């Protein structure tokens, strides 16, 4: 997996079995981008692929030379990767190549989450230094190529060698100039309870972007995008994906220039960012991952799933089977006491659920959302035996115990706010914008981070707690910190995230046995930055099975199933009022980290037997669901969205589970065929149905089928004309495939 640097042509070539990334020093000494895509032969020059001399666009005509880290002040009026204001007020930056280094392996990023390796043989890194002579700024661009993943990790470090401060106003993690703009850009966009729906737009002249300025990555857009050729499908064709390993304000953007080239850039959102760089200081951008696929959007997902599941998530929970959780939120909301929780826990234990998660409302005097955030003391009115007493009773039932926390917040009605009103973020002389009766704590202040570490460490050590759901229920509306001077207030958002990462890092290191799940009013901070600390995230507060098809499909484009927490909830569904069968709710939630979020004590004997069967089913296929290869087959975003299908396949391809979902039953649907993917064409598979193993009409008595047939001819997943009425609306069917031993 070489990185080549040719001294004569000053060309750098990062190459793995999966991709090539080529850059070169241009005639004027600036760093140009040459190529990213399918692997190219090493030992050859590719400098002729791009123009080598840049004359700028200051006149009416010019050549759109591709750069690696473009700046203003060179006649390139496309969007920059780096923008600064020098001490004299000027803003030109003219970066020239200085030096390069090879680093075996992959160095960590100080204070920031990043992908990692466990052995230096897994990756190689190229560092290129660029300098701006008059300002003495030195930019080091870092490129890591991985042995087993079709991805390049990039970030930039900006060091100031001059003697007067410089103000950074844009510092992207990645910028790539692509030779054409014949791409469709897909983003994961939506809002609360409708997160990460696919939105696809054709690139056109000008800028197409998604971003967040809310202080967290947000429900509205995700720090991720895919560029795919118009003919690219899930399984074939070229695609590029970028993901930012960051949880704060971000920008992901493509700009099409006058010559139909496209500049792709991703990094911290510039409108809400500035950084004062003192002489001698250094600023490091978050890490961005660029993935390339010649095998469709599914190939992009394979890369991100493998890299994030194996080399971003850290700690023992990376590889351990994740427990099946019952969460009491939708069962009780704030209205519980110990007896009620134990009643629920008893039923949960009797059906085989493994962890009981106590959600919001266990502390202070929190009977609704108007008080007590910040007062992390157990409410003895509800829990007379404390967390410890409750946890031990739960453990006696054979389950583990977990709790909900929201450390970053303070309620207006709380002792913490009375004592430290200045810890709540707000701008001087202005009212704080209300949201869920709570304010965000100022995590830019070290004493606040210290206080929260002590408070949370105290809570988590006070009882046998094995799981923590870390919530975050509002955005930052008036960024300002009493601890920062006026000329550093624009650093607030990034400093907040650095404080958050420090807190997460300290707590997760102090509690290595605890499984952390991140949450932000549902999936409002579902990003790669969080995954470095919390291996799984609450995907959405919308638990309706039909809505979840789109939410989980969209989320899975970037994130592995082992990170998607998915629960079966009550009907009528609390978010959309829809009534779906219990089996369908489970059939959707299986494709993630499975759990329940409903009042099990209200279920009938028959329903509880069904739940026990679901728990057993998930347990026996858990490794496949959490670590198998996830393949999307029929998109809920295509056509009328009435059908969805996806599957998971084991690494050795001997086991797989395919799922087919139908929203509304239609008369006379016809024998539509579903072609499976990822199977071994040379194997024969025994097929079992779930939830109705004995339904003969579906397989027509032929329950062993060849992999070649399932890949090429497919199977008929849905009802035939003769029994279509029996299937009903909101139905689901799973096909469990097991290779038979003689093949
Ligand atoms: C928002 C979360 O997404 C919910 O699951 C629940 O934990 C509530 N907050 C509790 O306030």
């Amino acid at each position: 997996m070489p990185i080549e640097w040719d001294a004569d042509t000053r060309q750098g070539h990062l190459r793995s079995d999966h991709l090539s990334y080529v850059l070169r020093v241009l005639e004027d000494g600036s760093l140009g981008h040459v190529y990213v895509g399918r692997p190219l032969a090493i030992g050859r020059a590719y400098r002729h692929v791009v123009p080598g001399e840049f004359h700028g666009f200051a006149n009416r005509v010019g050549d759109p030379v591709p750069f690696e880290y473009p700046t203003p002040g060179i006649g390139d009026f496309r969007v920059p990767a780096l923008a600064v204001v020098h001490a004299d007020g000027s803003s030109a930056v003219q970066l020239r190549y200085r030096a390069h280094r090879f680093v075996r392996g992959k160095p960590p990023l100080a204070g920031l989450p990043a992908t990692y390796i466990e052995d230096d043989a897994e990756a190689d890194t190229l560092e290129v230094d660029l300098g701006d002579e008059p300002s003495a700024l030195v930019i080091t661009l870092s490129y890591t190529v991985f042995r087993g993943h079709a991805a390049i990790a990039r970030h930039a470090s900006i060091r100031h060698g001059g003697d007067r401060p410089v103000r950074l106003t844009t510092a992207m993690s990645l910028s790539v100039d692509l030779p054409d703009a014949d791409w469709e850009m897909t983003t994961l966009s939506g809002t609360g309870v409708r997160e990460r729906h696919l939105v696809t737009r054709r690139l056109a002249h000008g800028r197409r972007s998604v971003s967040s300025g809310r202080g967290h990555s947000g429900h509205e857009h995700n720090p991720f995008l895919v560029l795919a050729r118009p003919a690219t499908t899930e399984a074939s064709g070229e695609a590029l994906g970028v993901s930012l390993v960051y949880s704060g304000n971000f920008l992901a953007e493509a700009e099409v220039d006058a010559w139909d080239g496209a500049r792709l850039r991703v990094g911290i959102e510039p409108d809400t960012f500035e950084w004062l760089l003192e002489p001698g200081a250094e600023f490091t951008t978050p890490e961005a991952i660029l993935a390339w696929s010649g095998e469709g959007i599914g190939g992009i997902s394979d890369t991100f799933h493998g890299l994030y599941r194996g080399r971003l998530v850290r700690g023992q929970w990376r590889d351990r089977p994740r427990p099946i959780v019952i969460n009491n939120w939708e069962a009780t909301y704030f209205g519980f006491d110990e007896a009620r929780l134990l009643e629920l826990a008893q039923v949960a234990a009797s059906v085989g659920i493994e962890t009981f998660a106590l959600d919001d409302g266990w502390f202070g005097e929190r009977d609704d959302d108007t008080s007590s955030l910040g007062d992390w003391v157990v409410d003895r009115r509800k829990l007379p035996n404390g967390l410890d007493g409750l946890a031990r009773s739960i453990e006696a039932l054979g389950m583990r115990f977990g709790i909900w926390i929201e450390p970053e917040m303070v309620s207006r009605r709380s002792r913490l706010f009375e004592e430290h009103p200045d810890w709540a973020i707000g701008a001087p002389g202005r009212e704080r914008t209300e949201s869920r009766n709570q304010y965000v704590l100022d995590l830019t202040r070290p004493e606040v981070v210290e206080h929260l570490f002590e408070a949370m460490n105290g809570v988590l050590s006070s009882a046998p707690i094995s799981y923590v759901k870390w919530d975050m229920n509002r955005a930052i509306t008036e960024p300002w910190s009493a601890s920062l001077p006026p000329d550093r207030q624009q650093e607030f958002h990034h400093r907040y995230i650095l404080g958050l990462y420090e807190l997460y890092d300290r707590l997760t290191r102090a509690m290595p046995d605890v499984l952390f799940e991140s949450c932000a009013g549902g999936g409002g901070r579902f990003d790669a930055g969080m995954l470095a600390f919390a291996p799984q995230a609450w995907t959405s507060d919308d638990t309706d099975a039909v809505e979840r098809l789109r939410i989980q499909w969209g989320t899975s484009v970037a994130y592995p199933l082992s990170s998607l927490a998915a629960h079966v909830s009550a009907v009528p569904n609390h978010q959309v009022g829809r009534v779906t069968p219990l089996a369908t709710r489970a059939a959707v939630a299986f494709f993630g980290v499975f759990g329940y979020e409903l009042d099990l004590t209200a279920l009938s004997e028959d329903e509880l037997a069904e739940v026990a069967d679901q728990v057993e089913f998930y347990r026996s296929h858990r490794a496949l669901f959490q670590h198998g290869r996830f393949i999307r087959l029929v998109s809920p975003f295509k056509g009328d969205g009435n059908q969805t299908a996806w599957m998971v396949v084991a690494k050795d391809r001997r086991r797989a589970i395919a799922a087919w979902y139908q929203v509304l039953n239609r008369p006379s649907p016809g024998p539509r065929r579903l072609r499976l993917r990822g199977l071994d064409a040379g194997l024969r598979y025994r097929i079992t149905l779930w939830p109705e193993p004995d339904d003969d009409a579906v397989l027509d008595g032929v329950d062993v089928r060849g992999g070649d047939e399932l890949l090429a001819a497919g199977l008929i997943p849905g009802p035939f004309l003769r029994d279509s009425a029996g299937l009903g609306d909101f139905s689901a069917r799973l096909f469990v495939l097991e290779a038979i031993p003689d093949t």
Side-chain angles (χ1 to χ4, degrees):
M1 190 184 40
I3 299 183
E4 279 186 333
W5 185 277
D6 182 76
D8 291 340
T9 57
R10 299 203 293 178
Q11 167 189 288
H13 183 174
L14 295 90
R15 187 193 189 278
S16 70
D17 290 346
H18 310 281
L19 56 67
S20 277
Y21 191 102
V22 186
L23 44 83
R24 62 170 282 211
V25 180
L26 302 175
E27 271 56 330
D28 66 356
S30 55
L31 192 65
H33 176 75
V34 177
Y35 173 82
V36 59
R38 192 176 299 287
L40 299 177
I42 53 169
R44 293 186 194 160
Y46 298 103
R47 49 183 295 112
H48 49 271
V49 169
V50 293
E53 273 185 75
F54 185 57
H55 303 291
F57 307 136
N59 198 342
R60 282 173 302 137
V61 290
D63 281 330
V65 170
F67 291 108
E68 277 297 313
Y69 210 62
T71 55
I74 57 171
D76 180 353
F77 296 100
R78 294 169 291 183
V79 289
L82 176 75
V84 310
V85 180
H86 300 290
D88 62 7
S90 66
S91 56
V93 180
Q94 292 156 346
L95 297 180
R96 298 289 180 262
Y97 168 83
R98 289 261 175 91
H100 71 274
R101 290 170 296 284
F102 299 118
V103 183
R104 187 114 174 90
K106 181 177 192 288
L109 273 72
L112 286 163
T115 54
Y116 60 88
I117 49 167
E118 291 194 327
D119 183 321
D120 277 352
E122 289 179 21
D124 283 306
T125 299
L126 171 68
E127 292 178 349
V128 185
D129 294 339
L130 308 174
D132 177 52
E133 193 73 47
S135 68
L137 283 173
V138 176
I139 318 312
T140 299
L141 302 181
S142 240
Y143 302 82
T144 297
V145 58
F146 298 90
R147 179 171 294 278
H149 308 283
I152 299 278
R154 278 189 62 176
H155 74 274
S157 296
I158 300 144
R159 279 188 313 285
H160 187 20
D163 50 17
R164 290 201 293 164
V166 165
R167 189 176 297 281
L168 305 181
T169 56
T170 297
M172 288 289 123
S173 299
L174 167 153
S175 176
V176 184
D177 284 349
L178 302 167
D180 69 78
D182 191 18
W183 300 100
E184 287 180 344
M185 174 169 134
T186 295
T187 59
L188 310 180
S189 301
T191 185
V193 297
R194 187 164 42 77
E195 296 92 336
R196 292 174 300 285
H197 280 209
L198 296 192
V199 175
T200 299
R201 295 175 278 175
R202 190 73 196 243
L203 293 191
H205 285 203
R207 294 155 69 170
R208 293 260 196 278
S209 64
V210 287
S211 64
S212 168
R214 313 167 72 90
H216 58 116
S217 49
H219 301 88
E220 286 65 25
H221 302 290
N222 198 262
F224 174 85
L225 66 78
V226 172
L227 294 183
R229 298 296 185 190
T232 293
T233 66
E234 275 290 332
S236 68
E238 191 181 14
L240 282 164
V242 282
S243 167
L244 189 65
V245 186
Y246 191 60
S247 309
N249 294 347
F250 72 90
L251 171 73
E253 180 169 73
E255 181 189 30
V256 178
D257 63 33
W259 301 270
D260 297 331
R263 173 166 292 171
L264 177 63
R265 62 174 189 159
V266 62
I268 295 176
E269 202 271 326
D271 287 349
T272 52
F273 166 83
E274 277 188 12
W275 199 269
L276 194 63
L277 206 58
E278 296 286 355
E282 178 166 351
F283 180 84
T284 302
T285 72
E287 174 168 285
I289 307 291
L290 174 69
W292 178 84
S293 162
E295 288 165 2
I297 293 172
I300 295 291
S301 301
D302 285 340
T303 295
F304 281 112
H305 292 185
L307 187 61
Y308 285 177
R309 190 172 54 217
R311 292 292 181 266
L312 176 62
V313 169
R314 298 180 295 182
Q316 51 173 277
W317 284 102
R318 182 187 75 185
D319 303 323
R320 277 177 66 178
R322 310 284 171 70
I324 302 173
V325 167
I326 169 86
N327 178 300
N328 73 309
W329 178 241
E330 289 198 10
T332 66
Y333 294 101
F334 295 102
F336 60 82
D337 58 17
E338 188 184 89
R340 178 81 181 96
L341 296 177
L342 287 177
E343 204 183 19
L344 189 56
Q346 260 151 17
V347 184
S350 75
V351 292
I353 293 174
E354 298 158 331
T355 293
F356 184 94
L358 172 57
D359 211 278
D360 196 353
W362 56 264
F363 51 91
E365 290 185 352
R366 191 158 162 91
D367 295 328
D368 54 32
D369 64 16
T370 61
S371 84
S372 302
L373 291 170
D375 300 343
W376 300 106
V377 177
V378 69
D379 183 349
R380 298 263 167 189
R381 295 171 312 156
K382 293 180 183 172
L383 304 177
N385 299 305
L387 288 176
D388 190 49
L390 175 64
R392 291 190 192 283
S393 302
I394 294 218
E395 287 198 332
L397 294 168
M399 282 191 295
R400 310 295 305 273
F401 177 68
I403 55 164
W404 176 99
I405 55 174
E406 195 177 5
E408 297 156 74
M409 301 290 158
V410 61
S411 298
R412 212 169 353 107
R413 270 202 312 125
S414 67
R415 278 212 305 280
L416 184 68
F417 187 63
E418 273 169 32
E419 284 164 20
H420 295 288
D422 58 314
W423 284 9
I425 298 168
R430 295 179 191 280
E431 304 231 323
R432 293 182 176 95
T433 300
E434 289 290 333
S435 184
R436 214 193 186 209
N437 309 298
Q438 66 193 58
Y439 304 129
V440 190
L441 289 169
D442 182 357
L443 266 61
T444 72
R445 293 170 72 162
E447 68 272 31
V448 177
V449 172
E450 186 58 37
H451 168 84
L452 292 176
F453 174 75
E454 290 302 332
M456 290 303 134
N457 200 25
V459 167
L460 301 182
S461 322
S462 72
I465 290 167
S466 68
Y467 159 96
V468 169
K469 177 178 172 187
W470 180 321
D471 205 350
M472 188 272 185
N473 277 294
R474 66 158 293 176
I476 296 171
T477 41
E478 294 87 19
W480 190 84
S481 174
S483 70
L484 293 172
D487 59 357
R488 287 199 178 272
Q489 289 296 338
Q490 291 305 310
E491 299 175 11
F492 181 91
H493 280 297
H494 184 56
R495 285 184 181 275
Y496 179 92
I497 293 296
L498 294 179
L500 173 68
Y501 286 153
E502 188 194 327
L503 182 60
Y504 245 115
D505 193 50
R506 287 177 66 186
L507 275 170
T508 49
R509 281 183 202 283
M511 313 270 157
D513 298 333
V514 175
L515 170 62
F516 281 78
E517 176 171 314
S518 76
C519 174
R525 202 163 56 187
F526 201 126
D527 56 60
M530 279 294 112
L531 283 187
F533 304 99
Q536 58 191 57
W538 182 226
T539 308
S540 173
D541 268 352
D542 195 333
T543 51
D544 172 68
V546 174
E547 295 301 314
R548 276 291 185 123
L549 290 173
R550 274 170 294 188
I551 293 169
Q552 291 177 206
W553 178 287
T555 308
S556 79
V557 175
Y559 305 102
L561 290 201
S562 57
S563 65
L564 272 73
H567 293 174
V568 171
S569 63
V571 289
N573 172 267
H574 292 197
Q575 291 78 41
V576 294
R578 190 175 285 129
V579 177
T580 54
L582 187 51
T584 300
R585 281 173 270 157
V588 176
F590 284 155
F591 288 82
V593 180
F594 185 62
Y596 289 84
E597 182 132 356
L598 77 171
D599 183 3
L600 291 172
T601 65
L603 298 191
S604 69
E605 295 262 306
D606 284 353
E607 286 170 322
L608 282 178
E610 224 182 307
V611 169
D613 173 70
Q614 294 169 355
V615 168
E616 184 46 39
F617 182 82
Y618 188 78
R619 280 164 77 135
S620 55
H621 299 290
R622 176 168 15 208
L624 192 51
F625 284 124
Q626 293 182 357
H627 292 281
R629 179 179 174 212
F630 184 62
I631 301 176
R632 294 177 296 270
L633 299 172
V634 178
S635 172
F637 296 103
K638 284 261 164 70
D640 64 1
N642 199 45
Q643 308 216 345
T644 299
W646 53 42
M647 64 191 289
V648 280
V649 186
K651 207 169 175 195
D652 64 4
R653 296 188 292 170
R654 297 191 70 84
R655 284 177 311 117
I657 298 179
W660 173 81
Y661 310 92
Q662 170 177 273
V663 179
L664 295 181
N665 207 13
R666 300 261 159 83
S668 191
R672 184 193 156 129
R673 275 198 258 169
L674 175 66
R675 282 202 280 184
L676 304 187
R677 297 205 345 252
L679 301 175
D680 185 333
L683 292 176
R684 287 197 302 147
Y685 296 88
R686 181 173 311 285
I687 306 178
T688 326
L689 301 180
W690 190 93
E692 67 298 64
D694 305 323
D695 188 343
D696 244 13
V698 180
L699 295 174
D700 227 3
V702 186
D703 65 350
V704 174
R705 301 190 186 182
D708 56 345
E709 174 193 330
L710 294 166
L711 292 166
L715 47 73
I716 301 174
F720 295 98
L721 177 59
R722 65 174 182 273
D723 62 359
S724 62
L727 201 67
D729 293 342
F730 316 128
S731 51
R733 176 169 289 144
L734 304 191
F735 299 83
V736 182
L737 280 67
E738 199 91 40
I740 58 174
D742 65 324
T743 58

